[in-house]
Amino acid sequence: MKEKLILALDQGTTSSRAILFNHNGEIVEISQKPFEQIFPEPGLVEHNANEIWSSQISVAAEVVAKSGITGEDIAAIGITNQRETVVVWDRKTSEPICNAIVWQDRRTSKYCDELKQKGHVDLIKKKTGLVLDAYFSGTKLKWILDNVEGAREKAEAGELCFGTVDSWLVWKLTRGNMFITDVTNACRTMLFNIHTMSWDDELLSLFNIPKSILPEVKESSEIYGETATTLFSSKIPISGIAGDQQAALFGQMCTKPGMVKNTYGTGCFLLMNTGDEAVYSENNLLTTVAWKINGKTTYALEGSVFVGGAAVQWLRDGAKVIKTAPGINHLAETVEDNGGVYFVPALTGLGAPYWDQYARGVIMGITRGTTDGHIARATLEGIAFQVYDVVKSMEADAKAKSLELRVDGGAAASDLLMQIQSDLFGFEIVRPKTIETTALGAAYLAGLAVGYWDSIDEIQSQWIVSKKFYPKLEKEKVDKMLHYWHKAVKCSQSWIEE
C-alpha cells in the first residue's frame, strides 16, 4: 500500500505555500506562490482575501499534481497562517466586504493611544496577555465595522463573519460549512480571554463588536470536519490549525518549558514554552497560547520583531542594493565588520521589547568609507540585534538563562546571519534539517488528530539537527556592538510626531 501523506497549507504574509510531508516528517513536494502587497498609504498594509484563497488553493492543487497523488492519498490537512490579519466577509455570498487588513498595518495606532489614555492597558493585558497595540486584530475589526459602509449594520444583523486567515481558508475549503478558528489565532485578536479560553464579553463591549461575527474556537489538533471543494477527489479531514509562530514552536519540538525558537520570516518571532503557566511579562513581551491538545493548554512568552527578513526585501526592492535576497550574504562578506554602521530596521515601528509604533528605520554611522557591503552587513546585524533584545527580555521574565536557540524560517538559511546571532548571544544556534518548521508544525498537529502519528514522543524522535553555530567573537567586541546598537535604537524611537 502507498504511504499516505499530510498536506500542510502555509498561508504567509507575502506568499502561500503547500507542502506534502511523509511519515518521517520529510518534505515530499512543495509549491509556493507570492501575492500582491497593497499599500494604500504609508503605514497601511492590505491583502485581497480572494487572492489569498486563490493562491493557497492553486499551490495545493500544484503539489498534488506534481507528486502524482489523489485526495485519497492525503491523511489530513493542517493549516498555519499569518496571524492578526483581519478578513470580514458576507455570510451568504462568502465575498469579503473589503481588503484584509494585515498585521503590519498601523491605521489604528491613534485609537490605541486613546484606549491607553483611558486606562485600558492593564485590563487588556490581564485578560489577553497582549500589549495594547495596532498589531492585533481587535482594533482592525472595529475600524472595518466603523469605516466600511453598511458593515456595522450587517454585523449587528448577524450577516457578517470575521476571521483571521485560518478561518477564511476553512470557510472556503468547506464551502461555508465551518466557521471556526483555533485557540492560537483567537488569542491574538485582543478579544479572547486566555484564562477562560473563550471570547470575552467585556472586551467585545469595549471594542463594540457583536458576538455573532466571531468564529467558534477549537483546539489546535482535532478533527474539525472535511473538505467540500472539487479540488480533491475525496473528502479530506481538516484536523490541525495553528498560527504560524505557534506552529513553528511545535514543529521545532519545543514541547518542554524553557525551550526557545525563533522564526526568521518577514518579521522575527521568538517563542518560549512556559508550560501550563501563563507567565506575565515585566519586559514588554506577550503572553500567548502555544497550543491546546487533548484539553490541555500550553502557554508561551512571545517577542515579535516586526521587520526581520523584510529588511532584506527592502534592501533588494527599495534601496536596490542587492538583486536577490540571498545576495546579501555575499555582499556582507566583502567586509570584515560593519565599519561602524548600524541599521535599525524599524520600517513599521518597533516591536518587542520597545513597542514604539512611532519609531522609524535609521542607518547610523555612515562615513566616506562606508560601502554597500557595510550596509548589507548592518542589515543582517540589525535583524540579529533585535532578536538579542527579545531573548534577553525572555530570560529576565523566565528568570533563567537560555542555553540554545532553535531557528527556522527563510533567513535562517543564512550561515552568516546565524553566526552573527551566535556571536551576540555567546551560545549555540541550532538549525534543524527541516527549516520549514511552520508547515511541519501544522502537519504534526493534523497528523496527531487522525492517528497518523501516535504521540508527541514519536514525533520528537524525528527532529534532526542540520547545523550548529558556536560563538567566535570576543566579548569586548560584542559589548561594543551592543552599545552602539542600543544608541542607534534610541535615535529611531518616537520619530513620527503627528
Side-chain angles (χ1 to χ4, degrees), residues 47-321:
H47 291 157
N48 179 322
N50 280 327
E51 194 186 357
I52 286 177
W53 163 245
S54 64
S55 63
Q56 187 64 75
I57 204 67
S58 70
V59 290
E62 198 171 287
V63 290
V64 169
K66 282 200 295 191
S67 57
I69 62 168
T70 68
E72 290 179 358
D73 300 314
I74 300 172
I77 293 173
I79 294 171
T80 182
N81 56 286
Q82 54 164 316
R83 304 170 304 171
E84 297 97 16
T85 294
V86 171
V87 187
V88 178
W89 65 93
D90 187 288
R91 208 177 266 268
K92 285 195 187 124
T93 66
S94 296
E95 276 300 307
I97 64 167
C98 60
N99 279 337
I101 300 181
V102 180
W103 58 273
Q104 297 162 314
D105 190 280
R106 310 306 300 167
R107 76 187 65 194
T108 58
S109 293
K110 283 199 170 69
Y111 174 60
C112 289
D113 289 343
E114 288 169 25
L115 290 173
K116 285 173 188 170
Q117 283 158 11
K118 289 176 181 171
H120 295 301
V121 172
D122 288 342
L123 170 79
I124 287 167
K125 185 174 179 182
K126 189 175 167 192
K127 291 189 173 216
T128 69
L130 307 176
V131 298
L132 183 42
D133 190 85
Y135 174 32
F136 305 105
S137 313
T139 61
K140 295 175 167 64
L141 174 56
K142 176 180 164 53
W143 187 93
I144 289 172
L145 296 182
D146 289 344
N147 290 276
V148 175
E149 193 176 346
R152 187 162 286 287
E153 292 73 19
K154 280 187 163 185
E156 300 286 358
E159 295 171 17
L160 296 182
C161 297
F162 147 71
T164 40
V165 172
D166 59 304
S167 301
W168 172 239
L169 293 180
V170 172
W171 178 274
K172 296 294 277 184
L173 283 167
T174 62
R175 293 188 164 183
N177 289 331
M178 298 192 66
F179 181 36
I180 63 167
T181 189
D182 92 300
V183 291
T184 69
N185 282 291
C187 76
R188 311 295 295 191
T189 60
M190 224 157 34
L191 307 170
F192 185 79
N193 189 314
I194 62 171
H195 308 289
T196 63
M197 297 298 280
S198 60
W199 299 117
D200 191 276
D201 290 332
E202 190 176 2
L203 294 173
L204 292 176
S205 172
L206 175 65
F207 293 108
N208 194 17
I209 289 167
K211 209 167 196 173
S212 63
I213 201 172
L214 303 172
E216 183 184 353
V217 183
K218 300 280 196 176
E219 293 194 5
S220 314
S221 178
E222 63 173 290
I223 299 171
Y224 312 113
E226 295 178 325
T227 57
T229 68
T230 53
L231 171 67
F232 305 110
S233 56
S234 55
K235 293 183 175 182
I236 303 168
I238 303 168
S239 54
I241 299 174
D244 51 12
Q245 303 317 320
Q246 289 97 326
L249 189 72
F250 197 74
Q252 286 278 32
M253 283 289 102
C254 292
T255 53
K256 295 186 177 70
M259 295 181 80
V260 187
K261 75 89 200 173
N262 181 33
T263 298
Y264 294 83
T266 304
C268 286
F269 298 90
L270 292 100
L271 270 76
M272 175 187 275
N273 185 324
T274 62
D276 54 11
E277 184 188 359
V279 174
Y280 273 94
S281 174
E282 292 170 13
N283 295 280
N284 290 327
L285 300 178
L286 310 177
T287 306
T288 201
V289 177
W291 49 74
K292 186 178 181 184
I293 301 173
N294 296 330
K296 184 169 183 275
T297 303
T298 298
Y299 294 94
L301 276 171
E302 176 173 336
S304 309
V305 171
F306 292 156
V307 175
V312 179
Q313 288 172 339
W314 171 79
L315 211 63
R316 180 192 66 196
D317 303 336
K320 303 203 184 309
V321 172

Side-chain angles (χ1 to χ4, degrees), residues 319-337:
K320 303 203 184 309
V321 172
I322 50 174
K323 287 198 169 103
T324 64
I328 191 171
N329 297 303
H330 174 70
L331 187 56
E333 282 170 337
T334 62
V335 293
E336 283 184 22
D337 53 35

Side-chain angles (χ1 to χ4, degrees), residues 5-7 22-23 75-79 220-223 237-241 250 439-455 458-459:
L5 304 171
I6 301 284
L7 174 61
N22 65 19
H23 196 269
I77 293 173
I79 294 171
S220 314
S221 178
E222 63 173 290
I223 299 171
I238 303 168
S239 54
I241 299 174
F250 197 74
L440 184 59
Y444 282 154
L445 290 165
L448 278 172
V450 296
Y452 186 80
W453 289 288
D454 291 334
S455 65
E458 182 190 354
I459 295 169

